[in-house]
Amino acid sequence: MRHPASPPPATSLSPTPDLRRRRKDARPAELAAAALRLFVDKGYTATRLDDVAAAAGVSKGTLYLYYPGKEALFRAVIEEGMVAALSLAEHEVAAFRGSTADLLHALLIGWWERIGGTPLAGVTKLIISESRNFPEVAQYYREQVLDRGRALVRATIARGIAEGEFRPLDVDAAVDIVIAPLLLLAVSRFSLPLATGSIAPEAYLETHFELLVNGLKRS
Amino acid sequence: MRHPASPPPATSLSPTPDLRRRRKDARPAELAAAALRLFVDKGYTATRLDDVAAAAGVSKGTLYLYYPGKEALFRAVIEEGMVAALSLAEHEVAAFRGSTADLLHALLIGWWERIGGTPLAGVTKLIISESRNFPEVAQYYREQVLDRGRALVRATIARGIAEGEFRPLDVDAAVDIVIAPLLLLAVSRFSLPLATGSIAPEAYLETHFELLVNGLKRS
Amino acid sequence: MRHPASPPPATSLSPTPDLRRRRKDARPAELAAAALRLFVDKGYTATRLDDVAAAAGVSKGTLYLYYPGKEALFRAVIEEGMVAALSLAEHEVAAFRGSTADLLHALLIGWWERIGGTPLAGVTKLIISESRNFPEVAQYYREQVLDRGRALVRATIARGIAEGEFRPLDVDAAVDIVIAPLLLLAVSRFSLPLATGSIAPEAYLETHFELLVNGLKRS
Amino acid sequence: MRHPASPPPATSLSPTPDLRRRRKDARPAELAAAALRLFVDKGYTATRLDDVAAAAGVSKGTLYLYYPGKEALFRAVIEEGMVAALSLAEHEVAAFRGSTADLLHALLIGWWERIGGTPLAGVTKLIISESRNFPEVAQYYREQVLDRGRALVRATIARGIAEGEFRPLDVDAAVDIVIAPLLLLAVSRFSLPLATGSIAPEAYLETHFELLVNGLKRS
DNA sequence: AATGAATGAGTTTTCATTCAT
DNA sequence: TATGAATGAAAACTCATTCAT
């Protein structure tokens, strides 16, 4: 604890209060979160910046204090959050001890908890809808999210084959079969129920896992 | 009334009446095809009717002779083609004689030939992107396309179980697992390669089928 | 008069009436004229395209049918009219027969009639005000208008010296002294009366000429 | 009340009070100088107060501590400096002893040294560009600067005529001819080289003077 | 039927001004 | 005094829709 006799240095040069500072620091993320919600719901072009501002509780002009324009806001929305979630998953896979089936199960559950069941899942719909209009952003997403996610699943399946737990098969194709239902589940949350005619996401994932493993497992 | 056997006299004021008639009859479909291409590529809101008209080789005003507005054009794009393809599939399934695995295989191949590999596949991306903005259209698509397609797959799996070819399992969830890779494949053609990192669609479908059956089949 | 038996060829392919065509052809010049008036009066930035459209009697959107944006309108305003007037003057100078003093007088009068006394004079104020904001346009104006105009005066003075009518002097500097009052007169019409405290432009030009010649003429 | 001989104790809460005071007193002039530079370069409307503040090294809010708004800043820019320079010239003319030609020469040189060659010359371009948007400011400038400057030249020419050094002529028109090249020279420094195609300002002024006098002087 | 010029409501973006700190 | 985050009115530009021809 600081000695009571020493007053805090009166820095007259930095009178900016903490409250304002904290607000300013949090703004970009708040704005991006509001934008994500609306972009995912209505699409990029159909979303008005007026609405984004209103959803974030600021005026239209304030948006431009933090992002130079609508497209920059879009980039921020795509390039945020997802990458952090992936890094976490990569560490977990590296540290996992147990059967490959359990690892695969952990991957599915982890995906749901940190991506599929969160607002981040909307990014999937957004990137599907807008990739043609933003090729560089799509490129970034592909390299930093899709390819890394696919590598994670590929390593897991390869591990299962190497250890004799899974039968030999076309690993790349299997990766797609693992991933496809996840992506559809994510997209379904923000559009039509393309997947999961009626069942809950958790049950859906369990069935997916069960089918997968019984298909992959050496009979 | 015109006599059926006598062709209309080709006056200089109405040259090539047949050609124009044929052209006129084909117009709506041509316009819808052009609109589909652009809607799928850029999204509904970002597509300008100017561009649709140009792509169809007509003037902007002409669009309004065939469709009352942009939204009507969108409805036409969604509500056309897909339903016909489904009816065909329904008849084929009903008439199929052979193992259920073969039927499932025929379904996947038929889907690719009549939907997945054609411009119609773009409707899938379009519905994902725009369903929130057009709830009634989404409702129509769900009932007339998704539900009927899912019913087809469900009947097939149920047939396999009933005949002892497949092991008993949660049929509804299995339907999703069957369908998800198809939808992702369709969407991938018009956005990012979400599925099929590198392999050809046909090989992708074969692997999907192989994995499915070895997972479904009683071991 | 056309023979009554020969009907005008019914070109069903070009139903565009002359009236509309004539209107469309005249539009760019009408818009540029309105823009010139407002740009000169208020300045480029302070002029609203809404006002330009209103002054031209069209809607805002119509402007964009003829010019891709505000800057293009500015370019058109600067790059039109002045050059044609200059070409005319160049021909007149080349064809002139008479004393150099008379030629100089004709130049001043001709300038007033075709530029200084017309709306074109406003371009001078406009280019002064905006040249820093539009370097390429300024470059064009300098080469196509200023330099050519200056060359005209220079040739005239050189002619006078060569024929012994004027005394030898620094021709380039003299050119500026000839031109400066003209430019100020033009600018004065659209801003403050920088020149011509009170007298009429014609009298102003006559005095300018008289002073010039009595300064140039061999005493 | 503070004793005049004892300087204020330099407390840690108000460091460098003298410097700050001096800074504070100089602020309005510093701000006006920065504003002049930018207004002249880009025009009044196209200049952002953000940029003025940045150029003066203060924050945007600080501007409003010294001027109530953008227009007030414009007024200050116009109404400062020029008047002082004129008063000086008026005194010099009144006290001048020598030939009228020498006086005229001194006027031209003095103008260049105290106005034409300094940032003040920019005011000329600014007034030309903006007079229509600020009629009262233009009125002030006309009365306090233009009319007084013109009176100075008029008195000089009249003196020459009265003393038999110049031939009789229309004095008002002659004033314009004297002034026009100066104004153009000033404007040229901040826009296109309307005057002085290539020569240096000093040589330009000397030629102007020589031409003028040889035109004014009794032959 | 077909055209395409014209419209004006709607959207993005800018910036003078305010005000809490 | 000084700051700079926040505002919102205003301006450039777009595009679905209309309609005279």
Side-chain angles (χ1 to χ4, degrees):
Chain A
M1 186 186 281
R2 197 181 286 167
H3 191 283
S6 70
T11 57
S12 67
L13 287 175
S14 66
T16 308
D18 281 353
L19 252 170
R20 183 147 24 146
R21 160 62 56 103
R22 204 165 316 143
R23 197 61 194 268
K24 196 197 172 206
D25 291 348
R27 274 282 151 79
E30 291 169 12
L31 297 174
L36 172 59
R37 224 176 314 133
L38 286 160
F39 285 164
V40 168
D41 191 44
K42 308 166 121 56
Y44 173 79
T45 311
T47 296
R48 298 182 333 221
L49 288 190
D50 259 327
D51 292 341
V52 174
V58 300
S59 76
K60 202 175 3 171
T62 299
L63 267 180
Y64 286 86
L65 294 178
Y66 297 93
Y67 295 96
K70 195 181 185 182
E71 183 167 339
L73 190 53
F74 178 75
R75 296 180 114 83
V77 159
I78 297 293
E79 299 179 1
E80 247 168 47
M82 205 69 113
V83 173
L86 257 175
S87 298
L88 194 57
E90 286 169 341
H91 281 102
E92 289 179 348
V93 167
F96 190 87
R97 299 288 169 263
S99 77
T100 303
D102 285 352
L103 173 54
L104 193 54
H105 190 265
L107 271 179
L108 299 189
I109 298 305
W111 172 84
W112 175 253
E113 284 175 351
R114 276 193 285 280
I115 296 178
T118 76
L120 271 182
V123 173
T124 307
K125 173 186 172 185
L126 196 47
I127 208 76
I128 286 175
S129 301
E130 306 295 345
S131 56
R132 287 282 169 96
N133 293 325
F134 300 97
E136 320 82 31
V137 179
Q139 172 76 0
Y140 172 91
Y141 184 83
R142 184 181 179 173
E143 291 171 358
Q144 297 303 315
V145 178
L146 283 182
D147 287 352
R148 284 171 65 187
R150 189 175 271 123
L152 222 48
V153 176
R154 187 185 303 108
T156 301
I157 296 176
R159 177 188 193 255
I161 296 174
E163 300 192 352
E165 191 174 347
F166 294 160
R167 62 189 173 87
L169 41 70
D170 181 335
V171 179
D172 277 313
V175 168
D176 284 338
I177 308 303
V178 171
I179 288 177
L182 304 192
L183 297 181
L184 257 290
L185 179 52
V187 166
S188 294
R189 290 185 53 217
F190 305 98
S191 61
L192 282 180
L194 295 162
T196 73
S198 55
I199 52 177
E202 285 84 356
Y204 173 85
L205 288 174
E206 290 300 336
T207 302
H208 176 34
F209 170 74
E210 199 268 342
L211 260 171
L212 267 179
V213 170
N214 283 319
L216 293 165
K217 210 187 272 178
R218 189 195 297 268
S219 62
Chain B
M1 187 186 281
R2 194 181 289 169
H3 191 284
S6 68
T11 72
S12 68
L13 287 176
S14 64
T16 63
D18 286 349
L19 266 177
R20 190 190 284 199
R21 164 60 60 102
R22 202 171 314 143
R23 191 63 187 262
K24 184 189 154 198
D25 291 348
R27 274 281 156 79
E30 289 172 10
L31 296 175
L36 172 59
R37 221 175 318 132
L38 286 160
F39 285 164
V40 168
D41 191 45
K42 308 165 124 54
Y44 172 79
T45 312
T47 296
R48 295 174 326 180
L49 289 192
D50 258 324
D51 291 341
V52 174
V58 301
S59 74
K60 197 172 15 168
T62 300
L63 269 181
Y64 285 84
L65 296 176
Y66 295 94
Y67 295 96
K70 195 181 186 184
E71 184 166 339
L73 191 53
F74 178 75
R75 289 175 186 280
V77 159
I78 297 294
E79 298 178 1
E80 246 167 49
M82 206 69 113
V83 173
L86 258 175
S87 298
L88 194 55
E90 286 168 341
H91 282 101
E92 289 179 348
V93 167
F96 190 87
R97 299 290 169 261
S99 76
T100 304
D102 286 351
L103 173 53
L104 194 54
H105 190 264
L107 271 179
L108 299 190
I109 299 305
W111 171 84
W112 176 252
E113 283 175 350
R114 276 193 286 279
I115 295 178
T118 75
L120 271 182
V123 173
T124 307
K125 174 185 170 185
L126 197 46
I127 269 290
I128 286 175
S129 301
E130 307 295 343
S131 56
R132 288 282 168 96
N133 294 324
F134 299 97
E136 322 82 32
V137 180
Q139 173 74 2
Y140 172 92
Y141 183 83
R142 184 181 181 176
E143 290 170 358
Q144 297 303 315
V145 179
L146 283 182
D147 287 353
R148 283 171 64 188
R150 187 176 272 122
L152 223 47
V153 176
R154 187 186 302 107
T156 301
I157 295 176
R159 177 187 193 258
I161 296 173
E163 300 192 351
E165 192 174 346
F166 295 161
R167 61 188 176 85
L169 41 70
D170 181 335
V171 180
D172 276 313
V175 168
D176 285 337
I177 307 303
V178 171
I179 289 178
L182 305 192
L183 297 182
L184 256 290
L185 179 54
V187 166
S188 295
R189 289 185 53 217
F190 304 98
S191 60
L192 283 180
L194 295 162
T196 72
S198 54
I199 53 179
E202 287 85 356
Y204 173 85
L205 288 174
E206 290 300 337
T207 302
H208 176 36
F209 170 75
E210 199 269 341
L211 259 170
L212 266 179
V213 171
N214 282 318
L216 294 165
K217 214 187 264 179
R218 189 195 300 265
S219 62
Chain C
M1 186 186 281
R2 197 180 286 169
H3 192 283
S6 71
T11 57
S12 67
L13 287 176
S14 66
T16 309
D18 282 354
L19 253 170
R20 180 140 35 140
R21 160 63 55 103
R22 203 165 316 144
R23 198 60 194 268
K24 194 196 173 208
D25 291 348
R27 273 283 150 77
E30 292 170 11
L31 297 174
L36 172 59
R37 225 176 313 134
L38 286 160
F39 284 165
V40 169
D41 191 45
K42 308 165 121 58
Y44 172 80
T45 312
T47 296
R48 298 181 332 220
L49 288 190
D50 259 326
D51 291 341
V52 174
V58 301
S59 75
K60 200 176 7 169
T62 299
L63 267 180
Y64 288 87
L65 294 178
Y66 296 93
Y67 296 97
K70 196 181 185 183
E71 183 167 339
L73 190 53
F74 178 75
R75 298 180 113 84
V77 159
I78 297 292
E79 298 179 2
E80 247 169 47
M82 206 68 113
V83 173
L86 256 176
S87 299
L88 194 56
E90 286 168 342
H91 282 101
E92 288 178 349
V93 166
F96 191 85
R97 299 290 171 260
S99 76
T100 303
D102 285 352
L103 174 53
L104 194 55
H105 190 265
L107 271 179
L108 298 190
I109 299 305
W111 172 83
W112 175 253
E113 284 175 350
R114 276 194 285 280
I115 296 176
T118 75
L120 271 181
V123 173
T124 307
K125 173 185 170 185
L126 196 47
I127 208 77
I128 285 174
S129 301
E130 306 295 344
S131 57
R132 288 281 170 95
N133 294 325
F134 299 98
E136 322 81 30
V137 180
Q139 172 76 1
Y140 172 92
Y141 184 83
R142 183 181 181 174
E143 290 171 358
Q144 298 303 315
V145 178
L146 283 181
D147 287 353
R148 283 171 65 187
R150 189 176 270 124
L152 223 47
V153 176
R154 188 187 300 109
T156 300
I157 295 175
R159 177 186 192 256
I161 296 172
E163 300 192 353
E165 193 174 345
F166 294 160
R167 63 187 174 84
L169 42 68
D170 181 336
V171 180
D172 275 315
V175 167
D176 284 338
I177 308 304
V178 171
I179 287 177
L182 304 192
L183 297 181
L184 257 290
L185 179 54
V187 166
S188 295
R189 290 184 54 215
F190 304 98
S191 60
L192 282 181
L194 295 162
T196 73
S198 55
I199 53 177
E202 285 84 357
Y204 173 84
L205 287 174
E206 290 300 336
T207 302
H208 176 34
F209 171 73
E210 200 269 339
L211 260 172
L212 266 180
V213 171
N214 283 319
L216 294 166
K217 211 187 271 180
R218 189 195 299 268
S219 63
Chain D
M1 186 186 283
R2 194 180 288 167
H3 191 285
S6 68
T11 72
S12 68
L13 287 175
S14 64
T16 63
D18 286 347
L19 265 176
R20 192 191 283 200
R21 164 59 60 103
R22 203 172 315 145
R23 193 61 188 264
K24 183 191 156 197
D25 292 348
R27 274 282 156 79
E30 290 171 11
L31 297 174
L36 172 59
R37 221 176 318 132
L38 286 160
F39 284 164
V40 168
D41 191 45
K42 308 165 124 54
Y44 172 79
T45 311
T47 296
R48 295 175 325 182
L49 289 192
D50 258 324
D51 291 341
V52 173
V58 302
S59 75
K60 196 172 15 169
T62 300
L63 269 180
Y64 284 84
L65 296 177
Y66 295 94
Y67 295 96
K70 195 182 186 184
E71 184 167 339
L73 190 53
F74 178 74
R75 290 174 186 280
V77 158
I78 297 293
E79 298 176 2
E80 246 169 48
M82 206 68 113
V83 174
L86 257 176
S87 300
L88 193 56
E90 285 167 342
H91 282 102
E92 289 178 347
V93 166
F96 191 85
R97 299 291 171 259
S99 76
T100 303
D102 285 352
L103 174 53
L104 195 54
H105 190 265
L107 272 178
L108 299 191
I109 299 306
W111 171 83
W112 175 252
E113 284 175 350
R114 276 194 286 281
I115 296 177
T118 76
L120 272 181
V123 174
T124 307
K125 174 185 170 185
L126 196 48
I127 270 290
I128 286 176
S129 301
E130 306 294 345
S131 56
R132 287 283 170 94
N133 293 325
F134 299 98
E136 322 81 33
V137 180
Q139 173 74 2
Y140 172 92
Y141 183 83
R142 184 181 180 174
E143 290 170 358
Q144 298 303 314
V145 179
L146 281 182
D147 288 352
R148 283 171 67 187
R150 189 176 271 122
L152 224 46
V153 175
R154 188 186 301 106
T156 300
I157 295 176
R159 177 186 192 258
I161 296 174
E163 299 191 352
E165 193 176 346
F166 293 161
R167 62 188 172 86
L169 43 68
D170 182 334
V171 180
D172 275 315
V175 168
D176 285 338
I177 308 303
V178 171
I179 288 177
L182 304 192
L183 298 181
L184 257 289
L185 179 53
V187 165
S188 295
R189 291 185 52 217
F190 304 99
S191 61
L192 284 180
L194 296 162
T196 73
S198 55
I199 53 178
E202 286 85 355
Y204 173 85
L205 288 174
E206 290 300 336
T207 302
H208 177 33
F209 171 73
E210 199 269 341
L211 259 172
L212 265 180
V213 171
N214 282 318
L216 294 166
K217 214 187 265 178
R218 189 195 301 268
S219 64

